[in-house]
Structures are given as C-alpha cells and as structure tokens.
Amino acid sequence: MSKFALNTALPRYLRAEQERIEGIARGYGLDFFPVVFEILSYDQMNEIAAYSGFPSRYPHWRWGMEYEQLSKSYEYGLSKIYEMVINNNPSYAYLLEGNSLTDQKLVMAHVFAHVDFFKNNFCFRSTDLDQRGAIVDPVRRPERYDPDRRWIDKMANHGARISRHIERHGINKIEAFIDQCLSLENLIDPWAPFSGRPPPRNEEAEAEDEPSLDIYRLRAKSYMDDFINPEEVLEAQRKKRQEHKKPERRVPEQPERDVLKFLLDHAPLERWESDVLEVMREEAYYFTPQRQTKIMNEGWASYWHSKMLTEKVLDASEIIDYAENNAGVMATAPGRLNPYKLGVELYRDIEERWNKGQFGREWEECQDLDTKRSWDMRLGLGRQKIFQVRALYNDVTFIDEFLTPEFVIEHKIYTFGFSGRNDRYEIESREFKQVKEKLLFQLTNFGDPYIRVTDANHANRGELLLEHQHGGVDLRADYARETLAALVRVWKRPVGIATRLENKPVLLRYDGKEHSMTPFKQ
C-alpha cells in the first residue's frame, strides 16, 4: 500500500468536518487518541481490509484470497465497507471514496467513539507495547495516559521478519508452516496479560531439608576419618538418596492454557520456526481484545454516532439519508445476532435505567408491574454509568450483568435450533434464562473449546498431551484431526487430546501418519 501513501489525504472540506466532529465528540466527554483519516478507493479499501486494516503484513496467500472475496462481494452489491479503524496510537481510519457527505460524517463520528473505546476499555490495555509484565490492575493508569501502540510499525516489522525467512528458506516452506500456525492461533490464554505473576513454588513443601552428610559417615577414629569417609563418596551417597526420594517434575507443573507459549518454550523448533510462531502468537494477542468486546465496541460507536449526528452534526436535509443508512446497519436478520443493534440498545437501556433509578435492591424486590413501569427517581446517572461500563466490562460480563428479562421481551430475543422433525430451523425458547445462557455460551471463549497442555512427556514417550475441558459440546472430529496434525508439525512427535465423545472419555491421537481414538483414563 506504500504507493498510495501520498494520495490518500482528506480533501479540505472533509478535513473541516473532521475538526468539527472531533470537537463535538470531545464536548460529549469522549477521550481518544489522535486520529488520522485517509480516503481510499474501493480497491484500496479492499486491500487494506484484506490485511485486517493494516497497510503492510507478512507475505501469505490468504490475503489475496480475502481480497478477492471482498472485491466480488462489493461488485455484486452484497456488502460495502463504510469504514475501518485501527487500534493504534495515533489511530488510523479509512473513509471510502465516493460515499456521500452524510456517510462520511457518520463514519467520522463512529470512528471517534471506536478510538475512545480502544483507549479506555480495560481489555485493550493488553495491546500497550510499553507495558512491562502482567497488568494486575487494568483500571489504574497514569493521569496522562499515552501508551505506545505503534502496531502499524510492529506489523510491518513482522512482515520484514517473515520476508527474511522466505528469502532464506523459500516461500513454500514458510507458507506451509504459517498455515499450521494459523490453525493453532486460538490456542492462547485471552486473560494471560491480566493474570499477574504465577504463584511461587513452595520449595519447603516440595522437598525435605537437605540431610547432613553426617548420616552417611561411618564410625572411625579421627586420624582415619578422611580415609574411611572421603567427602566425594559421602556427597555421591547423598545425591543418590535425593534422586530416589524426589520424583521427576511434570512439565508443565500446572495445566497451561497458552498452548502457543508452551510450544515456543518447549517444542524442538528451528530458529526460523520459533520466530514465525512468535509472530503469529503476538498478532493473535493483538486481535483478542476486539473479539472480547465486539458487542460493546460496536454498540458504543453506534450509540455515539447516533447521538452526535442527530443532535449536533447533521442538518434537517441530511437526517433522512442518515436514517436510511443507519437502519441498514442496525437491521437484524432472522436467526442472526447483530452486535451493533444489541450493543447500542443495551447502552440505551442502561442509560435509561440509571437515569430513572431502576436498579438496586428496592428495584429488584419490587413485584408490582405498574409501579415498575412508572418508576422514575430522576437520578440522572445514566451518562456516568455508560462511561463506567465502557471502561470496566467485556462482552461476557456486559451481557451477564445488564441483560434483563424486560429487555429480552421488548426486543423479541429468542433461541432457535434445527428441528429434525420438521426439517427446518424453529424457535426453541423465549424464556429469559435460556436466552441468556445460550448467548453467554456463544460469547464465552468466543465459542472455541477450552484446550490446555497437561503433559509434555505422556506415557514417558515424549508425546504431548492436551486436555479438552468438556463443557457439554463434543469436539468436531474434522477440526480435531486438523489441529492434531498442526500440533504434530510443531511438536515433531505424536500428540493427543483427552476429551469426551458421547459422554465417554477418549484420547484422540495423531502420530504423524494415522489418527486413532482409544478409551482414556487419567
């Protein structure tokens, strides 16, 4: 994308709109990094989108595949990218050339709210490049918070590192290994940056005090002691006793959820393989906060673009065009969850409830529906509350705490599933408990299975053993096979996953040649 760098500056009239909307956003209390807007043609926008918003990434065939998919989708009228913004300091955002002025205003307002979220939500603290060690108190930060988030530079450096390996080892070899790494990129611990230090080992509990050499000494007169009890013999006897008493430590000592880190630390990787895997892991952790806060982030941006545009940015002649475009973004197709719609409506519901005082013990214990409908204590705490929520929650805790039965009923939310009897998808339940449980189940760990490393020397054969924490859903057989194949490529020895299939404990194993499934006992 470097050839476009000199041709993407905003025209003067859009620069004026940016400054005006930025002032309005700050007037509402939004606090964001500096934002650099660039305007792109739809081909350039698709190139940037294929690179996940970055102008430069490592060489790999999947970028071309994603570009073709985006281009065809745009040409056939199936989709259109209105905006893109990068979690960077300063943040970079892209406007699509040819959009109406109303659309550009909407995108700018939307972007400023996104960048406010990037800066202030605790999940994104994990992307601060100047952070040293674990983030044990993500809410606490310096008064003038200006972190190093130069991820555009870091992604370009990743590309340069991969390119050097390609020059030395050939693109086919590197791309094949990247393919395997990408199939493992979700095997990380999303909360590792906030986990603090690992608990220190209790050496006193693990081993007895070192015995004195005197217990190995034979009785002898003082002038014969050096001959009867030489120091090297006594030391050898002590070491032998300790080796027999002390069992070998298991690796890892505790189950390790960050599988990629474990592979980096223990797998017999060549230098280039270790470097490539490290790049994939760093990028996986960069994108994790966006996965953790999709509903909140999009809802926050939609809330503020709606408020800014309808109250201060647009004039009367632009409202209809804005409403039409906004309705398209908020539309929810049957059977699909729209994060924009769910997020913005929850923020509005929270604001209204805290403005009216519809929270706390008195509210929860009230059983009179008529009283609840007219409940208004005029507290005016709504704006303060949504700013607090924006900073302290992720999608799972957001839904868990603020989704209410009244909200589910008002917005007609339901669960659905495939009916084998009628050969179609049907509504399963409208009950609040089931709706909430299913929604949280989909969001927890992004719907991925929990996989942990439990033994690097399973059966004393140097095999890697992983454990699937079964949550009521069996592993997909095809996904499990491909994951095992990728792990064998990295570990270079057989790998197994202990799981449950049809409620029976089994071991799925791949030795590099064939897959097997056997009963398993821990």
Side-chain angles (χ1 to χ4, degrees):
M1 288 298 297
S2 58
K3 61 184 178 181
F4 302 122
L6 300 178
N7 303 316
T8 57
L10 292 186
R12 188 174 301 172
Y13 75 96
L14 285 180
R15 179 71 63 190
E17 290 296 338
Q18 175 192 346
E19 293 173 357
R20 183 169 74 95
I21 295 171
E22 180 175 346
I24 292 171
R26 293 194 185 279
Y28 276 111
L30 299 185
D31 174 28
F32 38 82
F33 300 130
V35 181
V36 178
F37 283 94
E38 297 185 358
I39 190 162
L40 306 177
S41 67
Y42 86 93
D43 279 329
Q44 295 170 343
M45 183 71 87
N46 289 335
E47 287 184 41
I48 289 282
Y51 278 154
S52 302
F54 289 90
S56 180
R57 299 291 297 275
Y58 56 84
H60 192 254
W61 59 265
R62 72 173 176 139
W63 311 126
M65 177 191 70
E66 292 182 8
Y67 171 77
E68 287 297 324
Q69 182 180 10
L70 290 167
S71 296
K72 286 183 171 62
S73 182
Y74 179 85
E75 290 169 1
Y76 297 157
L78 301 177
S79 67
K80 180 180 179 181
I81 302 172
Y82 281 94
E83 54 84 22
M84 251 184 319
V85 58
I86 304 174
N87 171 31
N88 196 79
N89 184 14
S91 289
Y92 281 79
Y94 305 102
L95 305 177
L96 182 61
E97 185 181 69
N99 276 351
S100 67
L101 181 57
T102 302
D103 287 343
Q104 306 293 32
K105 292 177 181 179
L106 185 155
V107 169
M108 287 179 183
H110 195 84
V111 162
F112 284 122
H114 268 314
V115 180
D116 170 86
F117 195 91
F118 293 153
K119 182 177 180 180
N120 293 285
N121 182 267
F122 82 96
C123 292
F124 288 87
R125 290 287 303 278
S126 64
T127 62
D128 292 355
L129 295 174
D130 52 356
Q131 174 67 37
R132 297 292 177 262
I135 307 167
V136 294
D137 186 0
V139 178
R140 185 178 180 182
R141 65 185 196 184
E143 185 175 347
R144 297 191 64 183
Y145 179 56
D146 188 26
D148 177 6
R149 289 195 193 170
R150 291 176 292 181
W151 277 93
I152 288 182
D153 297 342
K154 192 168 183 65
M155 293 291 186
N157 291 338
H158 287 172
R161 286 162 63 180
I162 301 295
S163 295
R164 284 195 296 269
H165 296 311
I166 289 174
E167 291 175 2
R168 185 171 300 175
H169 301 283
I171 190 167
N172 291 333
K173 188 174 184 179
I174 303 300
E175 277 198 337
F177 187 69
I178 290 176
D179 290 343
Q180 304 293 346
C181 295
L182 289 174
S183 68
L184 304 174
E185 67 177 349
N186 63 333
L187 297 182
I188 58 174
D189 183 356
W191 299 111
F194 307 98
S195 298
R197 296 178 181 176
R201 291 199 345 243
N202 188 344
E203 299 288 349
E204 295 180 359
E206 291 181 0
E208 295 178 0
D209 292 335
E210 292 291 327
S212 169
L213 292 179
D214 291 339
I215 69 171
Y216 309 108
R217 195 179 300 274
L218 298 175
R219 293 181 64 182
K221 294 188 179 293
S222 59
Y223 65 89
M224 291 291 290
D225 190 61
D226 290 342
F227 179 75
I228 299 295
N229 299 301
E231 291 289 333
E232 60 271 17
V233 173
L234 297 178
E235 184 66 29
Q237 288 179 332
R238 186 180 71 169
K239 288 183 177 179
K240 186 175 181 179
R241 174 174 171 170
Q242 288 300 104
E243 288 174 0
H244 282 292
K245 288 187 64 176
K246 194 173 182 179
E248 289 187 12
R249 280 204 184 96
R250 188 169 181 170
V251 179
E253 294 183 10
Q254 300 292 331
E256 175 61 63
R257 189 174 173 194
D258 191 344
V259 179
L260 294 190
K261 183 179 186 302
F262 184 86
L263 293 173
L264 282 169
D265 292 341
H266 299 281
L269 297 170
E270 296 182 33
R271 184 176 297 178
W272 69 266
E273 292 174 324
S274 179
D275 194 39
V276 170
L277 183 58
E278 184 178 23
V279 166
M280 299 299 113
R281 179 174 176 269
E282 287 179 357
E283 296 195 1
Y285 271 106
Y286 169 79
F287 289 108
T288 294
Q290 298 178 39
R291 300 178 69 194
Q292 292 171 320
T293 59
K294 179 68 174 177
I295 294 173
M296 287 188 67
N297 199 346
E298 296 299 351
W300 184 253
S302 300
Y303 172 91
W304 283 109
H305 84 228
S306 176
K307 182 166 287 292
M308 284 191 279
L309 265 64
T310 56
E311 293 183 0
K312 294 190 176 182
V313 175
L314 300 180
D315 59 38
S317 64
E318 299 171 307
I319 289 293
I320 298 299
D321 290 338
Y322 157 74
E324 181 180 8
N325 292 336
N326 188 63
V329 173
M330 297 297 161
T332 302
R336 287 193 173 187
L337 176 68
N338 185 336
Y340 295 82
K341 177 66 173 178
L342 178 59
V344 71
E345 294 298 345
L346 264 178
Y347 277 117
R348 288 169 177 164
D349 185 63
I350 293 167
E351 183 178 33
E352 181 180 11
R353 287 170 56 199
W354 261 255
N355 278 336
K356 294 182 177 181
Q358 296 177 354
F359 61 92
R361 172 184 277 185
E362 190 177 352
W363 165 261
E364 297 293 339
E365 292 179 351
C366 179
Q367 301 297 320
D368 189 331
L369 294 180
D370 290 333
T371 301
K372 278 195 165 186
R373 288 193 191 98
S374 59
W375 191 295
D376 188 357
M377 301 177 67
R378 294 182 173 86
L379 297 183
L381 298 175
R383 183 68 55 84
Q384 176 184 341
K385 183 63 179 179
I386 62 173
F387 272 96
Q388 182 190 64
V389 170
R390 168 267 267 149
L392 301 179
Y393 289 77
N394 61 65
D395 282 350
V396 173
T397 55
F398 184 58
I399 297 297
D400 187 40
E401 183 158 346
F402 298 110
L403 190 73
T404 63
E406 294 83 4
F407 184 90
V408 169
I409 293 171
E410 180 181 354
H411 294 276
K412 301 180 175 62
I413 304 175
Y414 56 84
T415 65
F416 68 95
F418 188 79
S419 170
R421 180 179 179 181
N422 297 320
D423 196 29
R424 65 183 182 185
Y425 284 95
E426 295 181 348
I427 294 175
E428 290 181 336
S429 175
R430 296 184 185 273
E431 291 185 15
F432 169 71
K433 182 179 179 181
Q434 295 186 28
V435 168
K436 184 175 181 179
E437 285 180 353
K438 191 160 189 176
L439 190 54
L440 289 175
F441 185 80
Q442 292 174 353
L443 294 173
T444 302
N445 202 41
F446 323 118
D448 296 334
Y450 283 89
I451 305 292
R452 307 186 300 176
V453 178
T454 57
D455 194 354
N457 188 27
H458 178 58
N460 204 30
R461 296 194 296 256
E463 298 185 8
L464 184 65
L465 178 65
L466 298 98
E467 174 192 56
H468 169 223
Q469 293 182 275
H470 200 279
V473 179
D474 291 350
L475 293 176
R476 278 187 53 167
D478 53 343
Y479 285 12
R481 284 194 295 269
E482 293 299 324
T483 301
L484 285 171
L487 286 166
V488 167
R489 168 65 182 85
V490 178
W491 188 248
K492 298 180 172 61
R493 291 192 64 80
V495 179
I497 299 180
T499 183
R500 300 183 73 86
L501 292 178
E502 298 179 354
N503 208 30
K504 296 178 181 178
V506 297
L507 178 67
L508 306 178
R509 182 176 177 272
Y510 181 59
D511 61 7
K513 295 181 180 179
E514 62 179 358
H515 293 272
S516 62
M517 182 175 70
T518 57
F520 180 74
K521 290 185 179 181
Q522 190 71 36

